[in-house]
């Protein structure tokens, strides 16, 4: 794309084009993200899980987490990208109160469950995995 603009006499770096595209996408998609998040957190039950993702930062890879929260009733899911500390789920779930939170056994959810009067349920897949490990070895 940078070369296309150069054909019109405009010298625009690829970095600038990427930054502009990212900023525009953020401005356009942010209200949609907030609406999906509102939907996920307005249900009686929310499902949460996190997975690792490596991020290239200042020449080295750091471990970050992609958190996923879902509302099975409306089939909406929303993602949050942050570290794996107890503040991450607490901040994201700040508006989710008096419902059920279904997760793995990660203790980082404990604080938000206590503060927001959430009943904790545990994911059957994580429980099944422990039995599988016992049987298979």
């Amino acid at each position: 794309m940078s070369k296309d603009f150069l054909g019109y006499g405009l010298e625009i770096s690829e970095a600038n084009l990427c930054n502009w595209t990212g900023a525009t996408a953020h401005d356009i998609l942010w209200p949609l993200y907030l609406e999906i998040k509102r939907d996920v957190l307005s249900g009686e039950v929310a499902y949460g899980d996190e997975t690792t993702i490596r991020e290239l930062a200042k020449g080295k890879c750091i471990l970050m987490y992609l958190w996923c929260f879902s509302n099975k009733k409306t089939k909406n899911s929303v993602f949050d990208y942050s570290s794996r500390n107890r503040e991450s789920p607490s901040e994201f779930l700040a508006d989710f109160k008096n419902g059920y939170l279904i997760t793995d056994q990660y203790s980082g959810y404990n604080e938000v469950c206590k503060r927001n009067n959430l009943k904790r349920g545990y994911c059957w897949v994580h429980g099944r995995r422990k039995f599988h490990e016992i049987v298979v070895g």
Side-chain angles (χ1 to χ4, degrees):
M1 191 72 170
S2 185
K3 291 177 185 173
D4 293 339
F5 282 115
L6 198 55
Y8 293 103
L10 299 169
E11 190 173 337
I12 303 173
S13 71
E14 287 187 28
N16 275 341
L17 290 171
C18 288
N19 289 336
W20 293 345
T21 303
T24 301
H26 177 272
D27 291 348
I28 291 170
L29 296 176
W30 188 248
L32 177 62
Y33 171 84
L34 293 177
E35 183 59 27
I36 295 171
K37 180 180 177 183
R38 185 204 58 73
D39 173 75
V40 168
L41 300 182
S42 67
E44 183 181 2
V45 180
Y47 296 79
D49 202 5
E50 73 285 338
T51 190
T52 59
I53 188 167
R54 298 201 181 279
E55 176 185 312
L56 184 59
K58 297 182 182 176
K60 64 178 183 170
C61 281
I62 60 172
L63 195 60
M64 294 294 287
Y65 284 79
L66 190 60
W67 300 77
C68 178
F69 296 95
S70 300
N71 178 331
K72 300 287 185 188
K73 195 172 190 178
T74 63
K75 296 182 174 45
N76 278 325
S77 296
V78 66
F79 296 89
D80 185 44
Y81 181 72
S82 60
S83 64
R84 190 178 198 227
N85 57 41
R86 64 181 180 184
E87 288 82 24
S88 295
S90 284
E91 290 172 10
F92 189 86
L93 297 167
D95 296 330
F96 183 58
K97 298 180 178 6
N98 303 312
Y100 295 88
L101 181 62
I102 312 299
T103 65
D104 57 15
Q105 292 182 315
Y106 173 51
S107 62
Y109 295 106
N110 293 345
E111 182 181 314
V112 71
C113 286
K114 186 176 181 181
R115 186 185 68 231
N116 291 5
N117 194 32
L118 299 174
K119 292 169 189 71
R120 185 89 178 267
Y122 296 106
C123 173
W124 283 87
V125 171
H126 289 85
R128 181 197 145 291
R129 186 179 304 149
K130 297 298 181 192
F131 286 105
H132 181 75
E133 289 171 1
I134 291 168
V135 172
V136 175

